[in-house]
Amino acid sequence: MPVAARTTHDPIAIALAEDIGRGDLTSRYFVGLERRTARLFTKEPAVVAGVEVAAEVFKRVDPQAEIAILRASGSHLEKGQTVLEVTGSVRSILTAERVALNFLQRLSGVATLTRRYVDAVAGTKVRILDTRKTTPGLRALEKAAVVAGGGHNHRFGLFDMVLVKDNHLAAETELRHLQEAIRKCRAENPGLRIELEADTLDQVRRFLTLMGVDVILLDNMRPAELVEAVRFAGGRVQLEASGGVSLETVAEIAATGVDFISVGALTHSPRAIDFSLELT
């Protein structure tokens, strides 16, 4: 049975349902209904993302809550800075607290790590890309966090761009068959970007003979090989470096002249940023 390209699930609703369940028993029995104001603040320097998501969490729990966003997604924060204030019943604020913080710490972690990569390649033409290595169900939010950190989105899913990887190529290696597949894809999907993954410089040379290719992905190539690939391409297609990318290696990779560097770590392994809520 085919899977829909974009699901209609609601990550905020799912997160609240799994946390609240049949009700916040602690707040029900031990917290009153008086109105108070609380602030969400960072406990370390960070690039914030997901502020709007955190605000929506409080509104879902208490539609009467008053929200003031003080620092928009993409802003740099110093330790102790407030990103959001919420005024409402103490009970609803404390019920929403953990889910709001969970989104904020995760998405700010993505944005903060992305900004570190973007800063590391400053002064070059390279754009830092994310990948599909995202938390299931949170792809749209995590990709928005990448943009908040100064990065760029690669394809959202399998439906909005073609990326022919090594496992696809293992099933069909003849260039004439590959060219025919590209021609058919182009005819049926005008404007769709097509990218081919190359593991060797010989593959790069072969792919450069094909018509209709927008990008060649250079997988796990050494800097010297990347330089050669850039020379071969001569600007005819864009080049993306992928694999073996870290904060220690990204500047050297950027210096080779590639157009993009994709970094799976942006979304699969960022460290959460420490945020806290304080009643004022």
Side-chain angles (χ1 to χ4, degrees):
M1 182 176 181
V3 178
R6 286 185 186 270
T7 60
T8 57
H9 81 282
D10 182 342
I12 294 175
I14 292 171
L16 286 171
E18 71 181 3
D19 199 40
I20 298 172
R22 64 190 181 94
D24 177 359
L25 300 180
T26 306
S27 293
R28 180 185 301 173
Y29 293 107
F30 293 91
V31 178
L33 295 174
E34 67 270 22
R35 286 177 67 82
R36 294 277 297 276
T37 296
R39 73 182 187 109
L40 274 66
F41 64 97
T42 180
K43 300 175 76 173
E44 59 182 305
V47 175
V48 68
V51 185
E52 299 80 5
V53 181
E56 179 63 17
V57 170
F58 287 108
K59 294 294 284 186
R60 295 282 185 93
V61 174
D62 179 6
Q64 304 306 312
E66 299 173 8
I67 311 292
I69 294 176
L70 304 181
R71 303 287 286 180
S73 291
S75 301
H76 178 78
L77 303 176
E78 297 297 338
K79 179 179 179 180
Q81 282 192 291
T82 301
V83 298
L84 179 151
E85 289 182 347
V86 53
T87 299
S89 75
V90 177
R91 186 178 295 181
S92 69
I93 289 173
L94 297 183
T95 296
E97 173 185 6
R98 176 40 53 198
V99 171
L101 289 172
N102 283 352
F103 279 117
L104 199 57
Q105 68 187 24
R106 170 69 183 180
L107 298 176
S108 295
V110 172
T112 301
L113 182 58
T114 301
R115 183 66 58 82
R116 293 183 68 191
Y117 275 92
V118 171
D119 288 347
V121 301
T124 73
K125 69 174 184 177
V126 163
R127 283 181 277 178
I128 298 295
L129 302 179
D130 56 21
T131 70
R132 287 166 47 238
K133 297 175 182 177
T134 54
T135 306
L138 296 183
R139 181 169 294 173
L141 297 180
E142 291 182 345
K143 282 182 170 285
V146 167
V147 174
H152 296 264
N153 295 150
H154 203 279
R155 58 180 177 164
F156 188 90
L158 298 173
F159 55 89
D160 59 342
M161 178 180 170
V162 168
L163 175 50
V164 186
K165 297 177 70 71
D166 53 356
N167 284 332
H168 299 105
L169 292 168
E172 182 53 77
T173 58
E174 290 194 33
L175 280 183
R176 62 188 180 89
H177 292 154
L178 192 56
Q179 182 67 80
E180 176 56 25
I182 292 170
R183 185 203 63 76
K184 183 178 181 181
C185 181
R186 281 269 180 236
E188 296 179 3
N189 303 275
L192 192 71
R193 282 171 67 80
I194 296 177
E195 181 170 5
L196 304 182
E197 179 183 272
D199 299 321
T200 67
L201 288 175
D202 182 59
Q203 273 189 314
V204 174
R205 291 190 188 93
R206 295 174 67 220
F207 290 163
L208 286 170
T209 68
L210 297 169
M211 299 293 292
V213 177
D214 297 300
V215 187
I216 296 178
L217 186 153
L218 309 171
D219 188 44
N220 282 300
M221 292 192 184
R222 298 185 303 274
E225 293 175 305
L226 296 175
V227 170
E228 281 295 287
V230 170
R231 185 175 66 82
F232 293 160
R236 286 176 286 169
V237 299
Q238 293 180 307
L239 298 175
E240 173 188 340
S242 183
V245 182
S246 68
L247 284 168
E248 290 71 37
T249 63
V250 70
E252 183 180 13
I253 294 171
T256 64
V258 295
D259 301 284
F260 310 107
I261 301 175
S262 53
V263 187
L266 301 183
T267 53
H268 73 56
S269 55
R271 182 181 65 81
I273 300 299
D274 193 4
F275 282 88
S276 188
L277 180 144
E278 175 183 67
L279 290 169
T280 60

